Amino acid sequence: MLPASLDRLPVGDEEAMMVRCYPQEPEFTSKTAAEQKVWEILRRDLPDDALLFHSVQLRHQRAEHEIDLLVLLPGVGVAVIEVKGGLISVENGTWYQSGAKDKHPLKESPMAQVQSASHALRELLGKHMGSRFTSRIADLVCFPYTDWPAGYSSVGLPRDLVIDRGQVEHLVEHLHQAIEERGTGSSTLAPEFAERMVRHLNGDTGPLGATPAEVDYAQAMSNEDIQETLTTRQSILLSCTRSLNRVQFLGGAGSGKTWMALKKAKELAKEDKRVGLFCYNKGLGLYLQSEVGTWRQNKPVHVGEFHEYARKLGVPDGTGQEYFEVELPQHLLALSRTLPEEEKLDAVIVDEAQDFAGSWWEALLACTKDPANGDVYAFMDDRQDVYQRWDGQFSGDGMPLVPIHVDDNLRNTRRIADTFKQIIGNHSKLRGGEGYAVRYVNCATEDAVDVASDCVDALLDEGWANNQIALLTTNRRHPIHQDHFENGTIDSEYWPAFHRDEEEFYGHVLGFKGLERSVVILCVNGFKDMQRATEQLYVGFSRARSLLVVVGEKELIDEASGANRQISLDAALDWWPSADTVSS
């Protein structure tokens, strides 16, 4: 989301809550009266978070296209609309448009016209944004002055993608239906992705003489685009190691390990192998499931938590540390001896593999067709061993895993990565842009949760979107997180809301391993175990893509940063949450 100074009307303006339009006041003529009619209906009826574009010009290779109206609906998808005024008809395969004075043939079907423009839009956005366009998108034609036959049927133009005179007043309802039922693409339109689309669609340079804060924000958003593009570099590393079937990928936080784990799982599943894609944390497991859910080809037979896999195979349910750490892997190992061959795995992929104890590996590999020599890919950072289960063993007497080092840090800006560079070492290459200065809020440990909550409000006032922000605690849960825990809504509401990118997120640093957000407020409200404090700080500091805010008592943070101050806030900007935008 762009700051208010860049992209919104002043707070308090009666029009501030209207749908955002590009341009804000288009110039319509007598020839585009039909487009004006549809534009006004959309501007009136679209939800406040929608974005409405008129006359989007596209140059795709040698072809030129124009989209009459483009609608971005965060949380839903995209609608591309071709508007034709006058009376529209089809005779002997030729489309005609009749006006007050004449009737003339159209060069092509309006649906063919909008489909070509939509295809060009997807191709160009993928190129300019550095990531494939996967959001649902529907192509529609709107004839606001024509009564189109209700029983019309054509292989090239489904009736439900035609909005005629009788339907145009309910256009937004039809857009939702078309996107959800006819839209191509595998995911809803994430609000952050919609915001990133704006500057590529609008072609706006921004105000001349922009303030330092505005320039810095633009750079931060550019950094995130760069980071997504850089992730594809890791596909080269995967390609170079494709002949190795037992690999230990070692990389620091933000090195793209989760992306690589997903890509390796997709490659192996396409080979018709029975693949298991595992992790320990619930939040990461749900993320992996959401990503795999967008695939159209073969999928792994299991995606998510190791313990859920064991339960799925029939291991008795249980609770408590003794059950998860000892009893469950023992049950799974015993069960593996009677597991039918056709139900065993060809390949095991584990993300955040340092979270797995040696006994878990033994039980998991016993469920494969070839425990000693089968496909095993472990993606890990042993410096994030916050659970202290990792004993350095993967497969007992099996063939060892070949260590491959993943040195690039793709997630964090340089200023964020500099805070933990002593941990990741000199081999790590910081690929992100310079970015925002890290902010430090000095307060007593007992006040840290309240102050961190104030930081959320201050950042929202600056113009950050709520779904860009995660507040992570190091000890006790934030009250909002605790409410979900006590109400039993962790699975049904808490994590699903995070993965839908609906709102700010309140979590614990241990549950956020493998995940990230644009802004992370790390609330250092104490530690249950100071022996694991350095690892927790490292995880927390490395979750932010663009802006890191650290809240807590400096003496405690220094103590937790480990020997030789492995984590440092020396270059951080002292800050206190307020409504004033901070410039770095």
Side-chain angles (χ1 to χ4, degrees):
M1 180 176 180
L2 299 177
S5 57
L6 284 180
D7 203 55
R8 286 207 184 268
L9 295 172
V11 175
D13 193 304
E14 64 180 6
E15 292 186 324
M17 293 304 292
M18 290 181 62
V19 61
R20 289 155 58 189
C21 300
Y22 301 90
Q24 190 169 333
E25 295 294 340
E27 294 184 6
F28 295 101
T29 67
S30 59
K31 293 183 178 180
T32 58
E35 294 174 21
Q36 183 175 11
K37 176 181 177 67
V38 179
W39 169 273
E40 294 296 346
I41 292 171
L42 289 171
R43 185 165 64 172
R44 180 193 71 198
D45 294 344
L46 282 170
D48 294 337
D49 62 346
L51 299 99
L52 174 61
F53 295 80
H54 173 254
S55 187
V56 178
Q57 306 293 320
L58 306 171
R59 181 178 290 275
H60 184 229
Q61 298 174 355
R62 295 185 178 181
E64 296 180 1
H65 305 271
E66 179 185 12
I67 296 175
D68 289 340
L69 295 171
L70 177 67
V71 179
L72 309 187
L73 288 166
V76 183
V78 178
V80 183
I81 308 171
E82 175 66 23
V83 181
K84 293 295 183 187
L87 183 64
I88 305 300
S89 60
V90 186
E91 301 173 20
N92 297 320
T94 300
W95 285 77
Y96 290 93
Q97 185 177 35
S98 302
K101 297 180 180 180
D102 62 356
K103 173 181 178 180
H104 62 274
L106 299 175
K107 293 181 180 180
E108 61 180 333
S109 153
M111 179 52 73
Q113 188 176 353
V114 72
Q115 286 176 335
S116 296
S118 179
H119 174 74
L121 175 69
R122 292 192 295 270
E123 291 283 326
L124 289 169
L125 283 174
K127 176 182 177 182
H128 284 276
M129 298 176 70
S131 56
R132 188 165 59 90
F133 188 91
T134 60
S135 301
R136 286 203 295 262
I137 183 169
D139 310 326
L140 302 96
V141 293
C142 184
F143 309 145
Y145 305 123
T146 300
D147 290 313
W148 201 252
Y152 178 86
S153 177
S154 168
V155 296
L157 181 58
R159 178 61 183 86
D160 54 352
L161 295 182
V162 179
I163 311 299
D164 71 357
R165 186 169 70 94
Q167 299 169 309
V168 70
E169 286 295 330
H170 305 283
L171 180 54
V172 172
E173 176 184 339
H174 289 289
L175 295 188
H176 276 265
Q177 182 177 344
I179 293 170
E180 292 170 357
E181 298 181 5
R182 292 281 189 174
T184 60
S186 55
S187 62
T188 59
L189 178 64
E192 288 181 87
F193 195 85
E195 297 294 344
R196 289 175 51 212
M197 291 170 64
V198 172
R199 60 190 173 89
H200 297 289
L201 292 168
N202 199 33
D204 195 350
T205 63
L208 297 179
T211 67
E214 292 167 346
V215 173
D216 201 28
Y217 186 93
Q219 182 60 50
M221 294 299 98
S222 176
N223 286 335
E224 294 201 20
D225 286 350
I226 292 170
Q227 289 155 11
E228 289 199 16
T229 305
L230 284 170
T231 305
T232 60
R233 294 164 57 99
Q234 310 303 48
S235 65
I236 299 174
L237 187 56
L238 285 177
S239 178
C240 291
T241 57
R242 65 178 179 270
S243 62
L244 303 175
N245 74 321
R246 295 176 77 88
V247 183
Q248 174 187 9
F249 290 94
L250 295 156
S255 56
K257 298 185 299 298
T258 297
W259 186 91
M260 295 174 71
L262 283 162
K263 186 170 180 62
K264 174 56 73 173
K266 178 182 277 191
E267 291 174 354
L268 294 176
K270 286 175 68 175
E271 297 174 8
D272 291 324
K273 292 187 175 182
R274 288 179 57 82
V275 179
L277 176 57
F278 299 93
C279 66
Y280 169 67
N281 273 5
K282 181 178 292 293
L284 178 56
L286 290 172
Y287 170 74
L288 296 174
Q289 290 171 11
S290 68
E291 290 295 303
V292 171
T294 66
W295 300 355
R296 295 187 178 182
Q297 69 276 3
N298 296 348
K299 299 178 182 180
V301 296
H302 176 80
V303 179
E305 297 168 83
F306 162 68
H307 295 92
E308 288 303 316
Y309 173 73
R311 289 175 172 139
K312 187 166 65 175
L313 290 185
V315 169
D317 202 358
T319 58
Q321 185 174 352
E322 180 71 14
Y323 167 76
F324 287 108
E325 300 282 354
V326 180
E327 294 175 15
L328 183 144
Q330 288 178 349
H331 281 301
L332 182 59
L333 185 61
L335 187 149
S336 69
R337 301 186 183 105
T338 59
L339 190 66
E341 188 71 12
E342 64 272 14
E343 293 184 20
K344 291 185 176 182
L345 300 172
D346 295 304
V348 165
I349 299 172
V350 178
D351 192 22
E352 300 290 348
Q354 74 281 349
D355 293 345
F356 278 43
S359 60
W360 297 9
W361 275 103
E362 181 184 7
L364 183 57
L365 293 179
C367 296
T368 65
K369 295 176 182 177
D370 186 356
N373 302 291
D375 292 351
V376 179
Y377 300 91
F379 297 83
M380 65 180 297
D381 177 3
D382 55 11
R383 292 156 293 193
Q384 291 190 60
D385 185 18
V386 294
Y387 302 108
Q388 297 186 345
R389 300 190 188 103
W390 174 240
D391 60 6
Q393 297 299 315
F394 283 110
S395 53
D397 297 330
M399 187 171 68
L401 274 60
V402 177
I404 299 293
H405 293 274
V406 188
D407 292 329
D408 291 347
N409 179 293
L410 309 175
R411 176 190 300 139
N412 313 114
T413 64
R414 291 178 183 273
R415 283 174 161 175
I416 294 172
D418 278 344
T419 63
F420 52 82
K421 65 182 179 181
Q422 295 300 321
I423 290 182
I424 58 179
N426 296 329
H427 293 293
S428 184
K429 299 177 178 62
L430 308 183
R431 299 292 188 182
E434 189 69 14
Y436 274 132
V438 173
R439 303 184 193 180
Y440 172 56
V441 182
N442 190 1
C443 70
T445 301
E446 59 268 25
D447 298 330
V449 172
D450 289 337
V451 175
S453 299
D454 292 340
C455 290
V456 174
D457 295 332
L459 292 170
L460 292 175
D461 288 340
E462 287 183 22
W464 294 95
N466 59 356
N467 64 356
Q468 290 179 298
I469 300 171
L471 188 159
L472 306 177
T473 60
T474 59
N475 193 3
R476 298 188 179 211
R477 300 181 185 93
H478 186 279
I480 293 177
H481 185 191
Q482 184 66 28
D483 285 346
H484 281 288
F485 184 80
E486 293 176 354
N487 296 333
T489 55
I490 291 292
D491 291 346
S492 61
E493 297 178 12
Y494 176 76
W495 282 116
F498 170 77
H499 291 293
R500 288 195 302 267
D501 274 341
E502 291 183 341
E503 56 196 20
E504 60 266 26
F505 178 78
Y506 298 86
H508 192 281
V509 67
L510 295 182
F512 210 67
K513 290 175 79 278
L515 303 175
E516 59 185 46
R517 269 208 170 170
S518 295
V519 181
V520 167
I521 303 168
L522 183 64
C523 173
V524 184
N525 60 333
F527 299 92
K528 290 182 180 179
D529 183 356
M530 286 301 295
Q531 292 184 345
R532 300 191 294 170
T534 304
E535 290 83 356
Q536 287 191 45
L537 284 186
Y538 172 42
V539 172
F541 276 47
S542 60
R543 300 303 100 193
R545 293 195 296 263
S546 293
L547 174 63
L548 171 65
V549 180
V550 182
V551 179
E553 193 170 342
K554 193 169 191 309
E555 290 76 11
L556 177 62
I557 295 172
D558 286 346
E559 180 185 357
S561 66
N564 302 319
R565 295 282 305 280
Q566 291 177 283
I567 296 176
S568 173
L569 288 172
D570 289 346
L573 176 72
D574 289 333
W575 185 62
W576 190 261
S578 69
D580 297 329
T581 300
V582 173
S583 172
S584 56

